[in-house]
Amino acid sequence: GNLPPIIFRLNSEWYWQHPGEDYDFWHSLMVNGEMEPVVVVEVYLEGVGWQEWENNPIYSTDSLKHECGKCDKDLDFICRQWEKTGYAGYVGGNHHFGSGPAFFEELWKKVVPKLVKKLPERSDSEVLRVGAWGYCIGGLAAWNAITTHPDLYNIAYLGSPAMDFDCGSPFKELRHISGSDAHGVRPKIYIDSGADEGEEMNRQSALLFEKLQKQGLVAGQDVFYKRAPFGTHQG
């Protein structure tokens, strides 16, 4: 039959304190037919925990910059805030800026073929669904996975994604998103943010949702956005 989607879960140590219990619950829902099957692959970094921000990689496409220069009018609120406070949160440490494209290519090519061999034999010829899922910088990373390698990744779950990084430069990668790829596969992009995260996060998340629709994605079919009532950046 068809293989289920494969989702790489990034910065997973930041949330789900008892993943075993959560996955057991998911498994029961799948077995009972109440949830579509999905394979989740957690990505951990040896020696780097959720409290060690200085060594957490930022899977961006470029190096860090402070000055934004002239910004597009709809991104001006991001640029001004980035120069004021955003940049300071990333400067220093060992974040491996610009490593995103190479990392996600290596991740797919080293893991997916081996993983597929462990799954039930498939009888279809459909394009394999592979995606990335993360929050904050993990959400940014998931965005960079689907935009830098749309030939490999066609699903992204962007939880409160750090789209403000580098003066909103992730928005430039919208040009790599279209209604379908060379195989006719339409991407699936899920965005969420918390109502109590503040104006900037909610505004930039809603802006991304709007811009993705302008790229040809259909709301409720290809791209989804939910703002959780009372939700914060921590949960």
Side-chain angles (χ1 to χ4, degrees):
N2 295 352
L3 285 181
I6 298 170
I7 306 295
F8 288 102
R9 195 162 79 103
L10 308 168
N11 62 346
S12 50
E13 69 275 13
W14 288 17
Y15 51 104
W16 282 21
Q17 294 182 345
H18 306 287
E21 296 176 9
D22 294 302
Y23 287 131
D24 284 344
F25 179 63
W26 276 23
H27 180 70
S28 67
L29 293 177
M30 294 179 200
V31 170
N32 294 327
E34 298 177 68
M35 177 179 174
E36 292 290 334
V38 60
V39 176
V40 180
V41 182
E42 294 198 352
V43 179
Y44 288 97
L45 301 174
E46 187 174 359
V48 179
W50 69 275
Q51 293 179 313
E52 297 167 288
W53 168 252
E54 293 80 7
N55 292 316
N56 265 279
I58 310 295
Y59 295 120
S60 62
T61 57
D62 296 301
S63 57
L64 187 69
K65 68 178 181 182
H66 186 193
E67 301 297 328
C68 296
K70 184 174 177 59
C71 293
D72 291 344
K73 186 176 181 180
D74 59 355
L75 298 181
D76 190 64
F77 74 99
I78 291 177
C79 293
R80 302 289 74 80
Q81 195 63 34
W82 174 260
E83 291 179 338
K84 185 179 180 180
T85 60
Y87 169 81
Y90 291 89
V91 68
N94 184 26
H95 294 301
H96 303 281
F97 296 114
S99 63
F103 172 78
F104 284 110
E105 180 179 15
E106 181 178 0
L107 182 67
W108 197 104
K109 292 182 176 179
K110 284 196 172 183
V111 176
V112 173
K114 295 179 181 178
L115 180 59
V116 169
K117 291 180 180 179
K118 295 181 178 294
L119 296 175
E121 186 175 351
R122 63 190 304 188
S123 59
D124 69 296
S125 58
E126 299 294 322
V127 175
L128 189 62
R129 285 283 190 177
V130 180
W133 166 22
Y135 289 85
C136 189
I137 59 169
L140 170 64
W143 172 250
N144 287 331
I146 199 172
T147 54
T148 61
H149 295 291
D151 54 324
L152 303 178
Y153 298 89
N154 42 49
I155 302 175
Y157 191 109
L158 317 177
S160 303
M163 297 296 291
D164 60 323
F165 181 80
D166 263 5
C167 308
S169 63
F171 281 95
K172 296 178 182 178
E173 305 306 318
L174 277 158
R175 66 187 186 275
H176 298 300
I177 297 293
S178 64
S180 62
D181 66 8
H183 304 285
V185 175
R186 300 182 68 87
K188 298 285 187 186
I189 300 179
Y190 304 84
I191 309 166
D192 72 30
S193 63
D196 289 348
E197 288 193 75
E199 180 185 3
E200 184 182 11
M201 174 57 72
N202 286 298
R203 190 174 171 186
Q204 69 188 28
S205 298
L207 181 62
L208 178 60
F209 180 56
E210 176 187 331
K211 286 180 174 289
L212 283 167
Q213 291 174 75
K214 291 181 179 179
Q215 287 297 110
L217 273 60
V218 178
Q221 177 180 315
D222 308 313
V223 59
F224 308 80
Y225 174 49
K226 181 177 181 180
R227 184 177 298 178
F230 312 110
T232 67
H233 200 62
Q234 287 71 36

